[in-house]
Amino acid sequence: MLFIMRFPIFASGSNPPSPDSLPIIYSPDYNMSVLGIEHFHPFDTKKYAKAYRYLIEQKAVQLEQIYSPSRPSDEELLLVHTPEYLASIRHSSTIAKIVEIPALRFIPAPILRHGILEPMRLATGGTILGARLALRYGWAINLSGGYHHAKADKGSGFCVFADVPIAIRALWKEHPDLKVLIVDLDAHQGNGNSTILGNDPRVAIFDMYNGEIFPGDIEAQAGVKYKVPLQSHTGTLAYLDSLKQRLPQAIEEHAPGLIVYNAGTDVFVGDPLGNLSITEQGIIDRDNYVMSTAFAKKTPILMVLSGGYTKKSGAIIGKSITSFLESRHK
Ligand SMILES: [Zn+2]
């Protein structure tokens, strides 16, 4: 059992966190596999392993920095989800709808639970652990999670469990006054997170997304304090400009005790779903900017991976993390 300090040690006046203390949360069981599911969906179900392998092969992180998540309890899932919803995902038809592969409704539910739901559930445990470790060490990265379309009573867009809201509510049991800023830079609007947490004054959401694609959830936008909708093919320069113009103000105004960074790589040029046309270097610069802005404000940050749908996504994540670790060594 990890000893978790009750209050953040990364408090005002302390030094920025050291690269050697970056906790990485990962399990080989994050990776999904159901009878070749990857052939039916653009989602690269092995991207978590690819990102992890990159970090280890490049010696960017040491094995001592790797933390294993544990499976969250039903009580933890019920911090957000309704019992009816959790009962509904026992059925193949519901799972097939959420992951947008209609053919899966013919596959026995136990196979889908093992191949899809359990990896997502474990990733939720990783986000809960990551949030606690971020408060302890100043930063942490869960090499999965960021399922930002899941609502309390409904999953969609490949998102079954609302891992970030669950982790925040779990943290509130220990730190009831903790203010959180969700910085959502996945290409899609994070409509699940804003529907669940948008009315809670302890949370503010900064969401920069392609306003021309899924989910187009107008109702959920009410819960987003800092909305930055973009057009398709925005491109790297304009994208980074928008981020740099808007993010510092959000951090300044909300003054969070924790930032949760939804670092979706589906903004990547050529991604079949995101359509924002951001280069690999643009994603590396983006992640670097968000992390260093959090450090400059002495705010603990948890990064989760969220979407990213090309076969290169795992390596881009590995390169990005390696890049900002190197920058901290300098
Ligand atoms: Zn996305």
Side-chain angles (χ1 to χ4, degrees):
M1 176 86 182
L2 272 169
F3 173 68
I4 305 294
M5 294 192 68
R6 183 153 179 80
F7 297 105
I9 55 169
F10 186 39
S12 178
S14 64
N15 292 322
S18 147
D20 305 322
S21 70
L22 169 65
I24 299 273
I25 301 107
Y26 176 73
S27 164
D29 295 332
Y30 277 176
N31 300 286
M32 301 172 213
S33 180
V34 177
L35 314 174
I37 181 179
E38 56 272 21
H39 302 304
F40 296 96
H41 195 282
F43 197 106
D44 182 359
T45 55
K46 300 284 189 286
K47 82 168 174 180
Y48 316 110
K50 286 181 184 170
Y52 175 75
R53 214 164 34 233
Y54 186 95
L55 292 173
I56 295 297
E57 282 172 6
Q58 298 295 316
K59 299 188 170 50
V61 299
Q62 308 300 316
L63 287 174
E64 301 83 67
Q65 291 171 252
I66 310 298
Y67 289 74
S68 274
S70 48
R71 186 178 188 270
S73 64
D74 287 348
E75 287 70 29
E76 285 173 305
L77 300 183
L78 287 163
L79 288 170
V80 165
H81 294 295
T82 62
E84 294 75 20
Y85 171 64
L86 294 179
S88 77
I89 56 174
R90 295 182 158 277
H91 304 291
S92 297
S93 56
T94 312
I95 302 169
K97 212 184 260 180
I98 296 172
V99 300
E100 301 169 345
I101 305 170
L104 290 187
R105 68 188 188 278
F106 301 115
I107 300 197
I111 294 177
L112 298 187
R113 282 206 292 273
H114 177 76
I116 299 175
L117 293 200
E118 284 302 318
M120 288 190 184
R121 185 165 177 153
L122 191 61
T124 300
T127 301
I128 296 171
L129 175 60
R132 292 189 172 128
L133 291 172
L135 286 191
R136 186 178 187 196
Y137 290 102
W139 59 346
I141 298 174
N142 181 20
L143 289 181
S144 185
Y147 295 114
H148 62 164
H149 299 304
K151 297 183 178 179
D153 58 355
K154 192 172 186 275
S156 74
F158 216 85
C159 301
V160 177
F161 302 111
D163 60 309
V164 168
I166 290 169
I168 291 172
R169 286 197 178 155
L171 267 192
W172 280 339
K173 291 192 157 193
E174 297 143 29
H175 311 280
D177 300 323
L178 184 76
K179 287 166 72 181
V180 182
L181 178 70
I182 298 173
V183 176
D184 191 337
L185 301 187
D186 183 278
H188 299 90
Q189 177 201 349
N191 59 328
N193 288 350
S194 57
T195 301
I196 296 163
L197 294 173
N199 286 328
D200 195 306
R202 292 170 290 182
V203 174
I205 298 176
F206 178 98
D207 198 352
M208 195 163 99
Y209 57 95
N210 186 342
E212 299 176 349
I213 58 172
F214 176 88
D217 191 335
I218 307 285
E219 210 175 307
Q221 287 176 6
V224 182
K225 189 167 180 189
Y226 304 97
K227 270 187 288 287
V228 190
L230 302 171
Q231 295 179 327
S232 290
H233 309 295
T234 287
T236 307
L237 279 181
Y239 179 82
L240 291 176
D241 265 5
S242 297
L243 178 64
K244 289 174 184 177
Q245 273 173 26
R246 301 289 301 276
L247 184 62
Q249 182 203 355
I251 300 177
E252 199 69 43
E253 282 180 1
H254 190 62
L258 174 70
I259 292 173
V260 179
Y261 174 32
N262 220 35
T265 43
D266 51 3
V267 297
F268 181 52
V269 63
D271 183 280
L273 302 179
N275 273 342
L276 282 174
S277 307
I278 311 304
T279 60
E280 178 176 306
Q281 188 59 46
I283 293 173
I284 292 170
D285 292 346
R286 175 195 74 170
D287 293 349
N288 227 319
Y289 176 75
V290 174
M291 298 306 271
S292 55
T293 304
F295 297 155
K297 304 274 186 194
K298 300 192 186 310
T299 306
I301 182 164
L302 165 67
M303 173 173 155
V304 294
L305 299 194
S306 206
Y309 302 95
T310 73
K311 298 290 177 198
K312 291 180 80 175
S313 301
I316 293 172
I317 293 157
K319 282 181 196 173
S320 182
I321 295 171
T322 304
S323 163
F324 63 72
L325 284 171
E326 281 171 355
S327 74
R328 304 233 53 90
H329 271 299
K330 283 174 189 159

